[in-house]
Amino acid sequence: MNLRFLGHSCFLLTTAKSKVLVDPFLTGNPKAATTADQVSADFILVSHGHGDHYGDAVAIAKRTGATVVAPYELALHAGAQGAKVHPMGCGGGKDFPFGRVQLTIAHHSSSVDEGGKTISVAAPVGFLIQADGKTIYFAGDTALTMDMELLGRRNRIDLALLPIGDNFTMGPVDAAEAVRMLKAKRAVPMHYNTFELIEVDPGIFKKEAEQHGCKVDVLKPGESIEV
Ligand code: NI
Ligand code: MN
């Protein structure tokens, strides 16, 4: 399948059967490679409620008819605004037309803005995505956690998409340790250099992760790889 990086933590997976958009933060993203009214999707996976992930999910879902796949309360939130939704819970997996999605543990927070008030909504998650014979782990926003070792023990991870921006999530050194625990063959860093608070050198991650035998592709927004 093709994986295109659209900036921040947003990716578009083009599988044999469906287009799967992950964490579509395009409007207001200074590094976005496309716009919310141009991107196409059949499914939209949303890891948590923060604006830099939930972002344009509802607008894109309503325009395209795509299904929003998200942790339970966040799916209800999207559904209340008119999106077609598929709610899931952490640890749960489900077969979709393009492949299987399992929600994974993420150590972070999750909230939405409701008229200037910050409301907690659903626990944040990551995604284990199995499609076209490949396994991709999208970590979401998370700290380094021992749960990653369990994921690596039980899955053959072809590609890990990991936050490296520090401050809100793992930094580059912790993300390299995640690569080791996941036994990931290949990794793409995300969630860095979008804003000043998360400015880091992806070269630090690449150097450390490649010491664990993992190939690292540092993608610019708009660039894609075949998985
Ligand atoms: Ni977040
Ligand atoms: Mn974030």
Side-chain angles (χ1 to χ4, degrees):
M1 80 195 90
N2 182 271
L3 174 127
R4 184 162 179 242
F5 180 47
L6 298 178
H8 200 56
S9 292
C10 182
F11 293 89
L12 180 64
L13 286 170
T14 304
T15 70
K17 294 230 170 100
S18 315
K19 288 192 172 183
V20 183
L21 185 63
V22 185
D23 279 3
F25 167 50
L26 301 169
T27 304
N29 174 355
K31 304 274 176 83
T34 185
T35 61
D37 50 12
Q38 284 188 323
V39 73
S40 53
D42 301 302
F43 293 89
I44 305 170
L45 311 189
V46 183
S47 65
H48 64 294
H50 291 156
D52 59 322
H53 301 263
Y54 191 26
D56 299 299
V58 169
I60 297 167
K62 285 163 81 169
R63 177 177 60 78
T64 61
T67 301
V68 174
V69 179
Y72 183 70
E73 293 84 358
L74 185 57
L76 293 192
H77 189 273
Q81 294 170 78
K84 189 159 87 180
V85 299
H86 181 103
M88 294 182 69
C90 189
K94 181 73 186 171
D95 291 319
F96 292 94
F98 61 87
R100 186 169 177 81
V101 175
Q102 186 177 14
L103 302 200
T104 61
I105 288 168
H107 286 288
H108 187 64
S109 63
S110 175
S111 59
V112 295
D113 181 88
E114 292 282 5
K117 278 192 180 170
T118 303
I119 314 282
S120 286
V121 54
V125 299
F127 299 105
L128 197 64
I129 304 162
Q130 289 168 309
D132 300 352
K134 301 286 180 183
T135 300
I136 296 177
Y137 170 56
F138 172 89
D141 277 4
T142 183
L144 177 67
T145 151
M146 281 301 288
D147 299 286
M148 292 170 180
E149 195 152 301
L150 186 60
L151 286 174
R153 198 187 305 161
R154 303 192 63 220
N155 301 276
R156 197 200 63 173
I157 295 172
D158 296 293
L159 175 65
L161 308 174
L162 302 173
I164 67 162
D166 227 344
N167 194 74
F168 296 114
T169 69
M170 295 190 282
V173 176
D174 279 5
E177 177 65 12
V179 157
R180 188 191 67 76
M181 293 164 79
L182 293 161
K183 302 190 194 85
K185 292 180 193 164
R186 194 176 186 186
V188 169
M190 63 181 185
H191 209 274
Y192 70 99
N193 290 359
T194 319
F195 312 110
E196 202 180 317
L197 267 176
I198 54 171
E199 271 177 16
V200 302
D201 174 8
I204 298 168
F205 170 68
K206 183 175 169 73
K207 184 165 170 263
E208 297 249 345
E210 289 190 339
Q211 283 169 4
H212 302 310
C214 175
K215 179 184 188 316
V216 174
D217 293 286
V218 176
L219 301 181
K220 294 192 184 79
E223 289 184 339
S224 62
I225 55 172
E226 285 301 318
V227 183

